[in-house]
Amino acid sequence: MKVPESVRDIPREELFVGGHGLCAGCVAGTIARHLVKMAGPNTIVVSSTSCVEVSTAFYPYTSWRVPWIHVAFENAAAVASGIESALKVLARKGAIDPSRRINVVVYAGDGGTFDIGLQALSGMLERGHKVTYVVYDNEAYMNTGIQRSGATPPMAWTSTTPVGSKVRGKEGRKKDIVAIALAHGIPYAATANPAYPLDMDAKFVRGLSAPGPSLVHVLMPCTTGWRFEPRIGIKLARLAVETGMWINYEVVEGRLRVTTKVPKRKPVEEYLRLQGRFSHLTPEEIREIQNTVDREVDRINALAGEIAIGPVAR
Amino acid sequence: MTLASTRVKVATANEAAAEAVKDVDVDVVAIYPITPQTTVVEKIAEFVANGDLDAELIYVESEHSAMSALIGASACGARAFTSTSSQGLIYMHEVLHIASGMRLPLVMCVAMRALSAPISIWNDHSDLMSVRDSGWVIYVASSAQEVYDTTVMAYRLAEDPEVLLPVMVAYDGFIASHTAEPFEPAGRERALELSPKRRTWSRLDPDSPITMGTITSPEYYYEFKYQQVVAMEKALEKARELERAAQRVLGRSYGLIETYKIEDADVALLVMGSYWDNARLAVDEARRRGTRAGALRLRLYRPFPLEELERALRGVSVLGVVDRAISYGARPSGPIALEIAASIGRRLDLSLVSIVAGLGQRTVTVEDLTELAVSLENARGARDAHLVTRFYGVRGL
Ligand SMILES: Cc1ncc(C[n+]2csc(CCOP(=O)(O)OP(=O)(O)O)c2C)c(N)n1
Ligand code: SF4
């Protein structure tokens, strides 16, 4: 497994194939495709109940050319723990080739990770199973019709946080899943973004080669839930980085490094205005979000020990 | 067949279960404590620590994850095991259905215990009854020996390519799980002879990738479920064969139901689990008091051995079914009585009496069972006796 340096290093072999039922413009498929390209055919993928599960494994069809399993919504990390343990003992007992390394990868949504799946994730990380856990974060429960999750950003409209005269969308902050994962003392955690595929793929590879559990948190623009034109998913993903709404970084053995530096930031408004879920925001509310992002940028810069993300340039 | 007496040990049902897990060379064990099951997994951890068993132990953070991890392990071809009780079993409930739906040959011991609220760590069958329709084969054992033998047998049944269903081996919390009695382990050689490791089920293998646990449409779902029905029917047939195989290899077998003095019985008590010994003593006592009583024990509960039951009940005119769980609002309120009433409805000459007793391990003595057996005489010829459940021993009635 090699960290890709140019697009030419990305394997051509497709292990996640088309014909699935994801929405037109859904970026979850793009991320999955890159993930299994990096992991290669010697891989077992576990998914939680989610858009990806219902759209890519619709009996009698499947989009997966690697062994793939779904069990339930909240337990992908536990299922992966069992798989990793089984591979270990079966290799030791000679029931499978002991010289062969099989990657165990979880591909789960934010709901199945931040909320209902958090307990299983924590158990898996704490026990130290060698599993690469990739959470694609579309910032809501999309499969059940755009309900808020612990990953939904402040003030976003969802079907359970509707905008009215008293309530202005989702209240409270977005959970910091990377910090939660890191609190388990795991060797590798990162955030990634499909608009920067080489950076994202490199993180998949580093996660897969880490000496213990790893977590990669990937932003996943959702055309249906965020309410944008299907063709601009990647553009939005890039804007998230350019505005500082999303910061690409990785933490290796406790050391944080920003992997996509942004010397001059765009105002968050550019990101927010392209999405129906934020269309209700007033200028004051946008300013509030800008302030939160500024503070988060300061925090990450401090942890990185440099000004990796610069100020807003108007 | 003579058995080497040096092999006899004194052990609780929990220890016997662990011993069986060691002898069938289980590969992956998920561990989560709940009374009264915990000593099963403690004992297994001891076997692993001493090098007597080569297995991966997964110290899961919940029972839900225990069953989920076993599903993952089994999906890779590992022999997997866990044990639980009460709230733990109920907490797993979602995943129990998935294990059977995915046709994974897991084996789990259940040291049966009452359900909250209020919390009771003591024994009854409420936990088991709440998951009886989750598609698992269910044995209810009555002694440490039987727990050992059945746990060994369970792998053969579960992994039979014509069955491929998960199997529960249940026994009474405390009454069996913590009572030491003599038992004779078969040892690894004979255990593996009875349940050889053959990986007969579909697995996650990078050399021939398959997709497991898909979503499906109304076009297919029903057929998946119907195949589980067929597998259960197959399991009944195979369970009968398995008794013969166990007799051959272990030198012991039990039958799918056990009977005592049923041949000439007029009235009979049906029990499950560790009431069996007392039920037999009660039969003797009832007979001394002039009631021609007999007793039956349901050993295999799912699939339900109706043919064996009907055969045993041929000459019986009153059957008292002792349930240790309540189906609230049902008539009768004992879950087993309810289904026997439904399944043997064609026996117009049989009166069925539903008895609930021993909830939360309220003591039921030989004397109590004798009184129940004798009282069955009163229901002779009563066609609708089963519509009223007797809540035996509850205060304030
Ligand atoms: C125990 C349980 N509760 C609820 C559900 C219903 N459910 C299925 S998928 C889903 C949301 C998934 O959200 P997420 O993990 O964010 O993935 P997405 O659909 O957004 O891709 C929910 C609530 C379920 N399957 N299981
Ligand atoms: S709802 Fe969103 S996440 Fe789900 S398939 Fe459609 S675009 Fe993808």
Side-chain angles (χ1 to χ4, degrees), chain B residues 323-339:
Chain B
D323 267 292
R324 276 182 278 165
I326 300 173
S327 180
Y328 300 97
R331 297 173 75 190
S333 305
I336 301 171
L338 184 60
E339 72 178 285

Side-chain angles (χ1 to χ4, degrees), chain A residues 21-29 50-52 54-55 136 138 140-143 145-146 220-226 228:
Chain A
L22 294 165
C23 299
C26 177
V27 182
S50 60
C51 274
V52 164
V54 305
S55 310
Y136 68 93
N138 51 29
Y141 299 131
M142 297 310 177
N143 184 39
I146 328 174
M220 195 232 99
C222 163
T223 166
T224 308
W226 297 12
F228 60 79

Side-chain angles (χ1 to χ4, degrees), chain B residues 251-269:
Chain B
R252 286 179 297 270
S253 61
Y254 303 87
L256 305 186
I257 65 168
E258 274 197 308
T259 59
Y260 183 68
K261 298 197 175 166
I262 202 73
E263 295 71 21
D264 66 337
D266 193 18
V267 303
L269 272 185

Side-chain angles (χ1 to χ4, degrees), chain A:
Chain A
M1 224 179 315
K2 191 166 151 285
V3 173
E5 272 152 25
S6 81
V7 283
R8 278 181 206 83
D9 294 337
I10 299 173
R12 281 173 177 252
E13 195 183 357
E14 299 293 354
L15 298 172
F16 175 83
V17 297
H20 52 65
L22 294 165
C23 299
C26 177
V27 182
T30 315
I31 301 167
R33 187 168 150 250
H34 278 261
L35 174 59
V36 285
K37 270 176 186 285
M38 288 301 120
N42 257 340
T43 300
I44 296 173
V45 176
V46 184
S47 280
S48 60
T49 316
S50 60
C51 274
V52 164
E53 187 266 321
V54 305
S55 310
T56 68
F58 192 74
Y59 182 87
Y61 306 105
T62 180
S63 287
W64 301 89
R65 284 186 172 162
V66 289
W68 179 96
I69 185 170
H70 155 261
V71 177
F73 184 25
E74 62 286 63
N75 59 359
V79 175
S81 302
I83 290 174
E84 190 255 8
S85 301
L87 294 177
K88 254 197 319 216
V89 63
L90 292 177
R92 198 160 68 223
K93 291 184 177 179
I96 57 176
D97 179 2
S99 64
R100 180 153 178 194
R101 236 210 74 182
I102 299 174
N103 300 307
V104 184
V105 171
V106 173
Y107 191 53
D110 52 294
T113 302
F114 288 57
D115 298 340
I116 199 169
L118 188 62
Q119 176 176 304
L121 174 64
S122 172
M124 181 196 95
L125 298 178
E126 181 259 332
R127 291 188 298 269
H129 296 278
K130 231 186 103 21
V131 172
T132 301
Y133 192 107
V134 176
V135 45
Y136 68 93
D137 182 4
N138 51 29
E139 305 194 314
Y141 299 131
M142 297 310 177
N143 184 39
T144 36
I146 328 174
Q147 295 84 24
R148 65 85 83 187
S149 81
T152 306
M155 287 185 255
W157 168 93
T158 71
S159 63
T160 50
T161 56
V163 177
S165 57
K166 295 266 169 55
V167 179
R168 306 286 301 161
K170 198 257 182 135
E171 296 180 333
R173 53 175 291 174
K174 178 180 170 86
K175 262 193 219 180
D176 186 348
I177 194 70
V178 174
I180 293 171
L182 286 170
H184 294 77
I186 60 172
Y188 187 82
T191 61
N193 183 309
Y196 303 85
L198 278 180
D199 179 68
M200 177 175 78
D201 291 355
K203 286 164 174 169
F204 292 154
V205 172
R206 283 187 212 114
L208 288 160
S209 18
S214 55
L215 178 126
V216 185
H217 177 201
V218 188
L219 183 68
M220 195 232 99
C222 163
T223 166
T224 308
W226 297 12
R227 319 222 135 160
F228 60 79
E229 277 183 67
R231 65 189 169 83
I232 66 162
I234 295 296
K235 176 179 171 178
L236 261 182
R238 188 171 307 113
L239 268 174
V241 169
E242 289 170 347
T243 57
M245 292 283 309
W246 183 268
I247 302 173
N248 275 340
Y249 63 89
E250 66 182 5
V251 182
V252 185
E253 301 294 348
R255 299 250 314 275
L256 186 144
R257 185 173 76 90
V258 174
T259 57
T260 311
K261 299 198 177 159
V262 184
K264 288 208 173 92
R265 254 188 296 152
K266 292 180 175 168
V268 292
E269 187 164 8
E270 286 192 30
Y271 174 71
L272 301 174
R273 280 298 179 217
L274 288 172
Q275 303 174 48
R277 63 176 175 158
F278 292 121
S279 62
H280 60 285
L281 295 183
T282 63
E284 297 78 70
E285 286 168 336
I286 291 179
R287 215 166 308 129
E288 216 179 294
I289 293 176
Q290 183 69 62
N291 289 340
T292 315
V293 169
D294 291 349
R295 279 198 299 277
E296 179 63 6
V297 164
D298 289 345
R299 187 180 77 89
I300 295 288
N301 280 339
L303 289 171
E306 61 169 336
I307 306 295
I309 310 292
V312 179
R314 282 178 200 272

Side-chain angles (χ1 to χ4, degrees), chain A residues 41-44 53-75 78-83 85-90 92-93 95-96 100 102 119-124 126-127 129, chain B residues 25-28 53-62 64-66 68-79 91 94-95 98 102 104 197 199 203-217 220 224:
Chain A
N42 257 340
T43 300
I44 296 173
E53 187 266 321
V54 305
S55 310
T56 68
F58 192 74
Y59 182 87
Y61 306 105
T62 180
S63 287
W64 301 89
R65 284 186 172 162
V66 289
W68 179 96
I69 185 170
H70 155 261
V71 177
F73 184 25
E74 62 286 63
N75 59 359
V79 175
S81 302
I83 290 174
S85 301
L87 294 177
K88 254 197 319 216
V89 63
L90 292 177
R92 198 160 68 223
K93 291 184 177 179
I96 57 176
R100 180 153 178 194
I102 299 174
Q119 176 176 304
L121 174 64
S122 172
M124 181 196 95
E126 181 259 332
R127 291 188 298 269
H129 296 278
Chain B
D25 189 31
V26 163
D27 302 308
V28 175
L53 171 66
D54 181 8
E56 281 294 311
L57 302 180
I58 310 182
Y59 298 97
V60 284
E61 73 297 334
S62 76
H64 194 286
S65 284
S68 305
L70 292 195
I71 289 174
S74 182
C76 285
R79 220 169 227 195
Y91 194 31
E94 180 199 22
V95 219
I98 299 176
M102 290 176 79
L104 293 171
K197 281 184 124 176
R199 290 186 291 144
R203 298 186 301 278
L204 298 168
D205 174 5
D207 288 336
S208 52
I210 56 165
T211 291
M212 296 177 78
T214 61
I215 184 171
T216 189
S217 62
Y220 296 101
F224 275 95

